[in-house]
Amino acid sequence: MTAGKKSKRDDISAVDCVRSDKSLIFKSSDENKKALISLNVLEYLQPLVRDENRVVKRNAVLVYGVLSSLPSARSIIRKLPTIVTDLLKLLDSEEFETTKEFAAMTLSHLCLEYAGIYELIEHKCFSVIIPCLKSPDPDVQKNTLDIIHMLLQCSSSSWSKIFVFKGIIRTALRDMNALDAFVDITGVPEFNDIHVSALQVIANLLDDTECVKHLVSQGSLQKLLHFITDRQVYNESDIKVNSVNQQQNKDKNAKGRKPSPKKGDKKKSSKGEPDGKKDEEKPPSNTLPEAKIYTCNALMRAACKEETRKILHDADVEKMLVSLLSHEDEGVRAASAQVIAILSESSVCQDRIAELGGPELLIRMTRSDHRELKSAGATALAALTTGNGSICREVASRNSGLEALLSCLHIGDPEVDLITVGGLIALTNLATEETTRPKVLHVITAKLLIPTLNSNSVLTQSKAALAVASLISEQHNIQQFIQLGGLSSLLNLVQSTHNDVRRSACWAIASLTADHTAAVTLSQLNGITILQTLNESITRKNAFTELALKRVLDANLMAKFALTGYLDFVDHIPDLFYDPGQITNPSQFLTLDEYNEQSVNDRRPIFLINLQKCDIVSSSDYLQSQDSNDAKTDDLKHDDLNYFNEMKYPFDSTLHDWLNIAIKQITSISELKEQIKSLGEFVASCFGGSVNKDEQFTLRNELSLAQLRCQLNSNLIPIGLIKQGSFLQRALVFKLLADRIGLPTNLIRGTYGRSFNEVLIEPENSVG
């Protein structure tokens, strides 16, 4: 007996009864269903499912199909002995199509839970389910596709058997050429109600590279792309070079297809008539917009793998996606743009999309007021411009390119953060390209970026910080960024619990602190304390936090020496410098004004260097202006103690004299080692002369420093007033004079009160 035909015993009255019962059950409420379940109707129906009368079996499984939509019913059905076996037997070809429909519906409902999937796997249901795809009843096909989709969709890590079975399913589908059948379903307009179900299965299959290769080898992937773009499909073997043979083959293919109303009109139209030509150029749409969206989602999942991206590129999937960017449905355009964003991880795909005019269409989408379109367009542009200079130049050359990207930064809706993120990434990419950077910097302002730093979205915060590092580089933008409180926002992000946000914010700080004003402002905002606290944490510190702290400390050498006890060879002591001693907590480091306001105490004095009141002559200019320097020095000599009391931060005339003498004496020496030796001897003479090794441990200058502090009535002591200097004072002055002379010297605060300098000396055997 053939499938779908009714026997003589299946009379009309029985069918009407079934249809009536079916309608009533579908319309019944969940309360009625629960009432039936409470009466143990599911247990009573199982013997009827095995009945020899096909009508009885059909009606019984109909009730199972309807009631199994409830979780409580599914739990009871799974506990029934051999129920899965009974349902699989109902999928036999001799049963009614309605019986198969509700048996497949019951199984698809059971697959909504992992326990049901496991039951089907244990019963090796695949060989029974697949033939149902050839059923003439679309409902049977749909329910069968739902079962396959559920089996492939399962991804729980605790079900190792399911993972194994997913591979078995895919292999079986390839061997049975079922993949081609799924693709063919999408090409039949009459089956548009099951297009989505077929595409859901295809989406799961495209996760497997072998399935993708199989679809390509059979030409099914090309057919799918043609179906989705509503283009005619021809086999490659039918395409000939000769135009006459080509037209004949097209006619043969047309005869082999199912007739449609519009095809009849084509035959009636002559070849030269405009109506026939128009129909040939624009074939009727075979798939609904929803099916096109599901196809894009399937391609997006497949494109996540690099190997699959290469296969899709060889199939020229970019052409299909770019054509969908101009589709009338907004959802289709957005879905195609999302696939382009994934494909753009490949530079080859980027170039192909640009060749097809994709950037122009995406710019139009980004300018749209529709949030979904704008989000997809901005995301795709961000991906296309990543690492591709030619596309960056194309976007920047468009009149509305930069305007569209800047409009993404005005979106403050937290539900569409991807719009802002896409705009930030694209602008950052354009700024990294040398030819487009001036255009971006011309239109960008700190006022646009600061609100994105204050976003509640972690992704937006991270990309905004990277954009600040790349875009805020001009002096006027840095000043505006500081004035609008951008540095405070960055310091807040530095303390974020998310690694990406913290890393990006530290990189932005490291970039901004190349500007001295920004670095000083960060120090005033307690930035040193925040960054050092991060670096003390094992889990939160990274290379960027260390770099940011180094940049901030490089702009504040007083804090750097107090906290780290080290000044590098490139760190030149400024004209105004003070050393409060070794400090472990950054919050304890005070400004010079705060130290000056303190009353005299018994703590370590603050050593002060102040050469700001006089123009210091460099070593290269000294010989030409020796006479004028001597005159200035004589005019500036006063009684040091009286002058200190008159001025807030007195000019250190003694230190200035030492500097002039050192420049005069040391620069006249040609040998580097002799310069170092002479400078060391000169510094020692300034602080009471050299000290023998035996006297180093007994050398104490605390008494003289205490006397100076009392005479000055201040904790600040100009270093030029010290007559007998210890390790620190001598090393500090040596570093200061060496910086002015041009000797590469560092300063190290050692342990046990010892400080010393290191000088870079070229090896004797070095060339030149």
Side-chain angles (χ1 to χ4, degrees), residues 173-238:
L173 286 172
R174 290 198 304 268
D175 295 341
M176 299 174 63
N177 291 327
L179 306 182
D180 302 333
F182 294 143
V183 174
D184 291 336
I185 288 174
T186 62
V188 182
E190 290 79 4
F191 290 168
N192 56 18
D193 57 334
I194 61 172
H195 282 175
V196 172
S197 298
L199 289 169
Q200 286 176 337
V201 178
I202 293 174
N204 284 291
L205 294 174
L206 290 180
D207 285 341
D208 182 47
T209 306
E210 294 300 323
C211 289
V212 178
K213 292 180 179 179
H214 176 81
L215 288 174
V216 173
S217 63
Q218 299 297 322
S220 298
L221 183 60
Q222 285 285 0
K223 289 168 64 177
L224 175 63
L225 300 181
H226 281 72
F227 287 147
I228 296 304
T229 52
D230 303 323
R231 289 182 289 171
Q232 301 290 346
V233 182
Y234 304 104
N235 295 326
E236 293 183 2
S237 59
D238 294 335

Side-chain angles (χ1 to χ4, degrees), residues 470-751:
S470 179
L471 300 174
I472 305 299
S473 59
E474 301 290 336
Q475 186 64 34
H476 66 279
N477 277 337
I478 294 177
Q479 293 298 328
Q480 185 185 32
F481 189 80
I482 295 173
Q483 293 172 1
L484 295 177
L487 292 178
S488 299
S489 300
L490 280 179
L491 287 176
N492 291 333
L493 297 184
V494 164
Q495 303 174 71
S496 172
T497 56
H498 297 86
N499 293 332
D500 290 339
V501 176
R502 192 166 57 251
R503 188 183 302 110
S504 300
C506 289
W507 174 242
I509 288 177
S511 176
L512 288 172
T513 47
D515 180 80
H516 182 74
T517 305
V520 172
T521 306
L522 273 172
S523 300
Q524 297 172 352
L525 294 173
N526 204 26
I528 296 177
T529 303
I530 295 173
L531 292 172
Q532 186 159 0
T533 303
L534 280 180
N535 284 307
E536 291 174 353
S537 173
I538 298 177
T539 57
R540 302 180 68 187
K541 74 174 183 179
N542 53 61
F544 294 99
T545 59
E546 295 174 355
L547 177 61
L549 179 61
K550 182 181 182 301
R551 290 284 181 86
V552 176
L553 290 177
D554 287 343
N556 191 339
L557 295 182
M558 288 79 75
K560 180 177 182 178
F561 188 58
L563 293 170
T564 65
Y566 179 77
L567 291 182
D568 204 352
F569 297 97
V570 295
D571 296 331
H572 289 184
I573 295 178
D575 291 341
L576 183 63
F577 183 90
Y578 62 95
D579 175 37
Q582 184 69 42
I583 294 176
T584 57
N585 188 354
S587 61
Q588 297 176 355
F589 181 79
L590 306 178
T591 63
L592 188 57
D593 291 338
E594 291 173 333
Y595 282 122
N596 188 41
E597 292 173 358
Q598 291 179 348
S599 58
V600 179
N601 52 50
D602 57 353
R603 298 177 183 175
R604 176 193 180 281
I606 292 93
F607 300 116
L608 176 65
I609 293 176
N610 186 10
L611 297 173
Q612 285 187 334
K613 296 294 182 179
C614 181
D615 294 329
I616 304 302
V617 182
S618 64
S619 59
S620 60
D621 298 332
Y622 177 77
L623 296 177
Q624 300 177 1
S625 57
Q626 179 179 359
D627 297 336
S628 60
N629 281 339
D630 291 338
K632 289 181 180 179
T633 303
D634 294 337
D635 295 337
L636 290 170
K637 285 184 178 179
H638 298 280
D639 181 78
D640 291 331
L641 298 180
N642 294 333
Y643 189 62
F644 185 91
N645 293 328
E646 294 174 1
M647 304 297 295
K648 184 177 181 181
Y649 303 121
F651 170 76
D652 198 334
S653 59
T654 303
L655 182 60
H656 179 262
D657 292 340
W658 293 349
L659 178 58
N660 285 333
I661 295 172
I663 292 175
K664 180 179 179 180
Q665 293 181 356
I666 306 303
T667 53
S668 61
I669 302 174
S670 58
E671 292 292 333
L672 177 60
K673 291 184 178 180
E674 289 297 325
Q675 286 182 338
I676 298 171
K677 180 180 178 181
S678 299
L679 181 59
E681 292 174 349
F682 173 75
V683 172
S685 65
C686 294
F687 289 103
S690 59
V691 180
N692 296 328
K693 290 184 178 180
D694 297 336
E695 298 176 354
Q696 290 180 3
F697 300 100
T698 60
L699 179 63
R700 294 288 184 270
N701 63 344
E702 288 83 357
L703 181 59
S704 60
L705 293 178
Q707 292 174 349
L708 278 175
R709 188 184 300 190
C710 293
Q711 292 174 1
L712 299 173
N713 193 28
S714 173
N715 293 317
L716 301 178
I717 298 180
I719 202 166
L721 297 181
I722 301 174
K723 302 303 180 183
Q724 188 178 17
S726 63
F727 294 99
L728 176 61
Q729 291 87 44
R730 298 183 184 214
L732 189 58
V733 172
F734 186 93
K735 168 68 173 170
L736 172 69
L737 299 181
D739 289 342
R740 298 302 192 276
I741 294 173
L743 295 178
T745 307
N746 66 2
L747 174 61
I748 301 174
R749 191 197 306 273
T751 56

Side-chain angles (χ1 to χ4, degrees), residues 761-768:
I761 301 177
E762 294 183 0
E764 295 181 357
N765 57 354
S766 62
V767 180

